[in-house]
């Protein structure tokens, strides 16, 4: 789309995006699991987690995207060398943020709803210990 070739800096940017997307998804899923522990069903817990974690996920992604804009424009001498990294991070975070906020809660609720429908699900479900 941007006409940038695949290079080591672009792959480094892709790895950075995967790390940020994974961290955001883990936070979303852990918050949804807390909702399950409080007695919410899977869909309500996932929806609540998505609404509650929306701003922190968006702030993390926007901070990184805004920070990479000067690098993506390849301004200055030698800027074209690191431009693929900036472009990969911006594109990857745009896709990863949408996936984190919409795809992860849907998958969480579908998988937990399927798990809850199994006849032996109650006996296999791990019990969460309250922390003090």
């Amino acid at each position: 789309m941007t006409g940038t070739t695949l290079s080591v800096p672009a792959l480094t940017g892709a790895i950075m995006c995967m790390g940020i997307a994974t961290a955001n998804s883990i936070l979303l899923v852990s918050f949804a699991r807390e909702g399950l522990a409080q007695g919410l069903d899977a869909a309500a817990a996932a929806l609540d987690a998505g609404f509650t974690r929306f701003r922190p996920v968006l702030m993390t992604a926007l901070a990184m995207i805004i920070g990479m804009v000067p690098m993506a424009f390849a301004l200055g001498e030698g800027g074209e060398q690191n431009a693929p990294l900036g472009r990969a991070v911006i594109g990857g975070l745009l896709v990863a943020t949408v996936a984190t906020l919409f795809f992860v809660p849907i998958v969480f609720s579908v998988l937990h709803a399927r798990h809850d429908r199994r006849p032996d699900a109650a006996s296999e479900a791990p019990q969460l210990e309250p922390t003090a």
Side-chain angles (χ1 to χ4, degrees):
M1 205 170 359
T2 63
T4 306
T5 59
L6 189 62
S7 61
V8 172
L11 293 174
T12 304
I15 292 170
M16 289 171 60
C17 288
M18 285 188 278
I20 292 170
T22 302
N24 284 338
S25 296
I26 288 171
L27 287 173
L28 194 78
V29 168
S30 68
F31 199 88
R33 288 182 58 90
E34 287 178 14
L36 285 175
Q38 293 173 356
L40 295 174
D41 66 328
L47 189 64
D48 186 42
F51 280 122
T52 304
R53 302 302 305 168
F54 179 78
R55 191 171 71 167
V57 167
L58 202 59
M59 287 171 54
T60 301
L62 282 177
M64 192 75 164
I65 288 169
I66 292 169
M68 289 291 168
V69 165
M71 187 182 291
F73 283 140
L75 302 174
E77 249 180 80
E80 62 275 354
Q81 181 179 3
N82 288 326
L85 180 122
R87 293 176 187 150
V89 169
I90 289 172
L93 281 178
L94 289 173
V95 172
T97 302
V98 170
T100 298
L101 292 173
F102 296 106
F103 184 69
V104 171
I106 291 170
V107 170
F108 178 85
S109 63
V110 167
L111 290 178
H112 273 281
R114 182 180 296 165
H115 181 266
D116 291 344
R117 275 189 254 132
R118 292 189 334 189
D120 59 345
S123 63
E124 291 180 13
Q127 299 298 320
L128 297 177
E129 297 292 326
T131 57

